[in-house]
Amino acid sequence: MFKKILLPTDGSELSDKAIAGAMQMAAKLGAGIVGLTVVEPYSYSSLSEYRPESFDDYEARMNEAAAERLAKVKSAAAAAGVAIETTTVKSFSPYEAIIETASKNGCDVIFMASHGRRGLNALLLGSETQKVLTHSTVPVMVYR
């Protein structure tokens, strides 16, 4: 059925649960996983010179966060005996990065967590999962 699963993670507890669910599914289907994390690029603006963090410090912090997130995916894949590749994408729009990565890597399903925001919170904050569901041309499995 599915041969290549895109698994985005933001390092949250809910993403960790989705990692476990994706590994179970991949192991049962004999599918591979593409682990993805999206980090926000350094923001250049007229106020950039007043930022408390330099470009190099910001990049190092984002690279460390991405490595920690993807290490969880790699560890889970090794434990489940699932083939894994990982990637980090810099983008101000995580949902677009998720959809583009699925396309570039030939993924036939996106398996992601939902943070379950409801009401005004969901309206104000939006939902990357909802945006992926709305714009993706490949199936999306939402794990809760």
Side-chain angles (χ1 to χ4, degrees):
M1 179 174 214
F2 298 121
K3 295 295 178 197
K4 204 169 201 183
I5 302 166
L6 180 68
L7 176 60
T9 181
D10 62 5
S12 68
E13 190 175 314
L14 288 169
S15 283
D16 291 348
K17 290 180 182 179
I19 291 169
M23 293 306 157
Q24 288 177 352
M25 186 175 100
K28 287 180 183 176
L29 296 175
I33 296 276
V34 176
L36 166 69
T37 193
V38 180
V39 295
E40 190 170 313
Y42 188 80
S43 179
Y44 291 99
S45 71
S46 58
L47 300 176
S48 292
E49 62 191 58
Y50 301 107
R51 286 182 69 142
E53 187 173 38
S54 71
F55 173 80
D56 292 336
D57 290 344
Y58 181 82
E59 286 289 304
R61 186 169 58 85
M62 289 296 103
N63 289 337
E64 184 179 327
E68 287 175 11
R69 294 174 193 169
L70 294 175
K72 291 179 183 180
V73 178
K74 290 177 185 177
S75 175
V82 171
I84 182 79
E85 54 189 274
T86 60
T87 187
T88 300
V89 175
K90 291 180 186 177
S91 177
F92 288 110
S93 178
Y95 88 91
E96 289 177 335
I98 291 166
I99 292 169
E100 288 172 15
T101 302
S103 177
K104 284 181 186 175
N105 287 278
C107 297
D108 43 22
V109 66
I110 300 169
F111 192 106
M112 62 190 299
S114 171
H115 287 269
R117 292 186 184 103
R118 298 193 195 307
L120 186 59
N121 216 10
L123 181 64
L124 294 175
L125 297 175
S127 164
E128 295 306 315
T129 303
Q130 184 64 40
K131 292 174 191 171
V132 171
L133 283 165
T134 303
H135 299 286
S136 179
T137 57
V138 299
V140 179
M141 297 188 74
V142 179
Y143 192 83
R144 289 190 70 189

